[in-house]
Amino acid sequence: MNTIRQRKGIKNTEVSEDYAAQEENVKLEHKLPSGSTSRRLWETLSFTLGGTIALCVGVLTSVYLATLHENDLWFSNIKEVEREISFRTECGLYYSYYKQMLQAPSLMQGLHGLMYDNKTESMRTINLLQRMNIYQEVLLSILYRVLPIQTYLEPVYFYIYTLFGLQAIYVTALYTTSWLLSGTWLSGLLAAFWYVTNRIDTTRVEFTVPLRENWALPFFAVQTAAVTYFLRPNLQPLSERLALLAVFVSTFLFSLTWQFNQFVVLLQALVLFTLDSLDLLPALKASWLYGIQIAGLLLVCALQFLNSMILGSLLISFNLSVLTARRLQKNLKTGNFLKRLGKLLLHLFVVLCLTLFLNNIIKKTLNLKSDEHIFKFLKAKFGFGATRDFDANLYLCEEAFGLLPLNTFERLSDTLLFSAYLFVLCVTGTAALAGALHNLSDSTHRPPTGSVGTGAVSLRPATAYNLMHSVLFGLLALSTMRMKYLWTSHMCVFASFGLCSPETWELLLKAIRLYNPKRMCVMRYSVPILTLLYVSYKFWPEVMAELSELREFHDPDTVELMNWINECAEHSRNPLVSSEAWNMATDHSVCSQKV
């Protein structure tokens, strides 16, 4: 008589087929110790080499940008007044607060001067820590006072070297994100190469050093890398917590250093909402990220003395609405295609209504009107009516807030970046659409873990997130030229990932019925290597020519004007009258007088 008994050494009464397969794999690994050991050794060497290259590429990019800045202005040879004049537009205004903190008799007096400032706006006393994102200048001034560097490093050099140092973090974060997505550091190297060769469209730090985006974008890149890692399946609890901590810290620093923080993070929240609704990403992880966004922005709000723009931001209302709607609408991801589509549309409607309701209640309760000019600007920009608001019209007159010029795509195509990006976007976009339709048609809801979709079409949550991230920020860049730096840097990441990813080539080769592992491996490495060789061959001479071109800052009229203002200021306490924003910022930076 046959009997069934429990296996020895296993306490569970049920053992799945997947678990049994894992047991067989473990046994095979024990039988082949030499193979597993050499594999681990190879992975360790590859990780060490890739990490070393990431650090080297980051540092070299930082040195390259700093050298361009020096060669363009001969910064080390010009006078202090000329250095400060070289900080154009609002850059000079930001630098003036760093200078003001250093010239104060003590840190407390310097902070008091920023909190009760009567120089920036005539006849008004304002709290600069509340009105502007200048905590980075405060921190740098404290570090310069505390660190023993005053004897051999001038304040202005400490300031600009810090910003160029952040560019090393920026490029390293882009490299890391591409590496995490593709599984090979080769894609990170290609992303860094594209970032440098498309420098005109990926950064402007070398000629607008103190600009807020140059502080914020490195932290934004770190946040994207942390989110990409967090969305990986089967993470250990400790790894998840560390990833969430990295997301929180980078989100907080990004929001603290840029005035457009809430709008950028709102786009990220829309990415999470879209993917969560289409079941392309785990709902629990999306909830964690919603909460971190709210916590990071509220902490910035507290540091900025309850900044009204943050309290009344759409981001906080939207995230709270999404979390509330999820509680109200249960079994949202069950049923056939039509039922799920109907539930999804209802969910979208509920979230939209809740967002507008919460935002309106918050603004009326706190009497907030600080961001009205933004919505008036958007309304006028997209042709929904004219506006007489001064700030909105000022934005409309600025070229930086206009549409993205078409010649941008010509420059990006010269390096093969835009062509590769469109290729990867088409492949992964098709896979995401097929996966979303499959999920909506699946009556038995299974939470996404490793990938979404079945059969020949599958896409990991981290890939889906970066795909949607790239699409939304691309639309933002097309509508507003100043925001293109959010898109073009991520374009380097996404295009390089796609060329080096087995995911992309597997999808493509299966679609044309030519898939086999060897062919996929050949395509995965040969295409990016050939691209690297082409980019290096074509643009290396241009990079060397840029580095060899020496110019000098020369503006004697403005220098004479600033010297005259300083002389007059010694005999008069009247505020300066400036006709242009550039003059106002320069006057404030060089002369530190009331404007």
Side-chain angles (χ1 to χ4, degrees), residues 81-82 85 88 553-565 582-583 586-587 590:
V81 64
E82 293 175 309
I85 292 171
R88 305 288 183 176
F553 178 86
H554 184 70
D555 193 355
D557 294 336
T558 305
V559 172
E560 185 179 355
L561 174 64
M562 293 300 109
N563 290 330
W564 176 79
I565 291 174
W582 178 86
N583 287 336
T586 305
D587 295 343
V590 179

Side-chain angles (χ1 to χ4, degrees), residues 463-526:
T463 305
Y465 173 80
N466 279 273
L467 167 65
M468 198 65 195
H469 179 284
S470 184
V471 169
L472 283 191
F473 281 97
L475 294 175
L476 177 65
L478 290 173
S479 65
T480 309
M481 185 179 68
R482 182 171 181 177
M483 299 299 173
K484 74 174 180 178
Y485 302 102
L486 289 163
W487 182 43
T488 50
S489 58
H490 191 265
M491 187 190 294
C492 299
V493 171
F494 198 70
S496 61
F497 135 74
L499 295 187
C500 299
S501 173
E503 196 174 8
T504 306
W505 292 111
E506 183 179 353
L507 289 170
L508 180 64
L509 293 173
K510 282 183 177 180
I512 60 178
R513 302 182 184 279
L514 290 175
Y515 174 78
N516 67 57
K518 289 184 179 179
R519 186 176 287 121
M520 181 197 70
C521 189
V522 170
M523 297 298 292
R524 179 190 181 190
Y525 290 106
S526 61

Side-chain angles (χ1 to χ4, degrees), residues 335-344 440-441:
N336 58 29
F337 178 77
L338 290 178
K339 285 184 178 180
R340 288 195 65 172
L341 186 60
K343 289 180 180 180
L344 179 59
L440 291 175
S441 304

Side-chain angles (χ1 to χ4, degrees), residues 49-340:
L49 180 61
T52 304
I53 292 175
L55 294 175
C56 291
V57 166
V59 171
L60 287 174
T61 304
S62 175
V63 172
Y64 167 66
L65 294 171
T67 305
L68 289 179
H69 177 260
E70 168 65 24
N71 291 354
D72 189 49
L73 300 173
W74 202 2
F75 201 75
S76 60
N77 192 60
I78 59 179
K79 300 175 182 178
E80 185 68 19
V81 64
E82 293 175 309
R83 292 173 180 173
E84 294 175 359
I85 292 171
S86 70
F87 296 142
R88 305 288 183 176
T89 62
E90 71 263 36
C91 297
L93 195 64
Y94 297 132
Y95 178 77
S96 72
Y97 301 131
Y98 167 73
K99 181 180 172 183
Q100 179 179 332
M101 281 289 295
L102 290 178
Q103 291 176 345
S106 67
L107 287 176
M108 294 307 298
Q109 286 179 289
L111 288 172
H112 185 272
L114 295 179
M115 292 169 62
Y116 300 93
D117 178 85
N118 59 0
K119 295 180 180 179
T120 303
E121 295 184 10
S122 181
M123 307 299 292
R124 292 186 64 186
T125 298
I126 60 174
N127 185 347
L128 291 170
L129 296 178
Q130 181 185 44
R131 287 276 297 274
M132 298 184 182
N133 299 73
I134 58 169
Y135 269 100
Q136 49 268 51
E137 276 76 22
V138 173
L139 178 61
L140 277 193
S141 64
I142 294 173
L143 289 176
Y144 188 79
R145 284 172 175 267
V146 172
L147 297 175
I149 56 176
Q150 293 89 346
T151 55
Y152 56 88
L153 189 64
E154 297 176 52
V156 67
Y157 275 106
F158 182 65
Y159 187 88
I160 66 171
Y161 285 167
T162 300
L163 274 154
F164 287 124
L166 282 176
Q167 299 309 302
I169 297 175
Y170 191 12
V171 175
T172 303
L174 297 177
Y175 181 109
T176 303
T177 305
S178 186
W179 187 0
L180 287 170
L181 287 169
S182 67
T184 172
W185 53 261
L186 182 62
S187 66
L189 184 61
L190 181 57
F193 263 66
W194 265 332
Y195 179 85
V196 172
T197 53
N198 292 280
R199 176 183 56 80
I200 295 174
D201 296 300
T202 55
T203 184
R204 49 178 175 169
V205 66
E206 75 274 13
F207 61 89
T208 57
V209 180
L211 208 60
R212 301 300 84 179
E213 68 193 42
N214 296 329
W215 288 96
L217 291 185
F219 300 122
F220 185 71
V222 171
Q223 186 228 44
T224 304
V227 171
T228 300
Y229 180 77
F230 176 67
L231 293 178
R232 300 183 84 177
N234 305 321
L235 283 180
Q236 296 296 323
L238 178 61
S239 299
E240 279 197 348
R241 293 191 194 99
L242 291 175
L244 284 173
L245 178 62
V247 173
F248 172 74
V249 172
S250 54
T251 302
F252 164 69
L253 292 175
F254 168 73
S255 302
L256 188 66
T257 52
W258 201 17
Q259 66 269 31
F260 297 117
N261 50 38
Q262 54 175 301
F263 305 106
V264 175
V265 181
L266 176 62
L267 281 183
Q268 286 190 315
L270 290 174
V271 170
L272 295 173
F273 176 72
T274 304
L275 297 177
D276 182 24
S277 300
L278 296 175
D279 211 13
L280 296 175
L281 127 84
L284 181 60
K285 290 191 173 184
S287 299
W288 274 107
L289 293 173
Y290 287 135
I292 283 176
Q293 289 177 343
I294 294 173
L297 215 62
L298 288 179
L299 183 55
V300 172
C301 180
L303 285 175
Q304 291 188 328
F305 300 85
L306 301 181
N307 188 314
S308 57
M309 279 193 70
I310 295 177
L311 287 174
S313 67
L314 277 175
L315 172 69
I316 291 178
S317 302
F318 177 77
N319 284 11
L320 290 175
S321 300
V322 172
L323 296 174
T324 304
R326 184 177 293 166
R327 292 284 185 180
L328 296 175
Q329 290 182 280
K330 297 182 179 180
N331 300 321
L332 185 65
K333 299 177 181 178
T334 57
N336 58 29
F337 178 77
L338 290 178
K339 285 184 178 180
R340 288 195 65 172

Side-chain angles (χ1 to χ4, degrees), residues 383-404:
F384 295 107
T387 179
R388 299 182 66 182
D389 185 85
F390 175 79
D391 293 323
N393 283 313
L394 188 62
Y395 283 137
L396 289 171
C397 293
E398 283 284 339
E399 183 183 1
F401 290 92
L403 299 177
L404 186 67

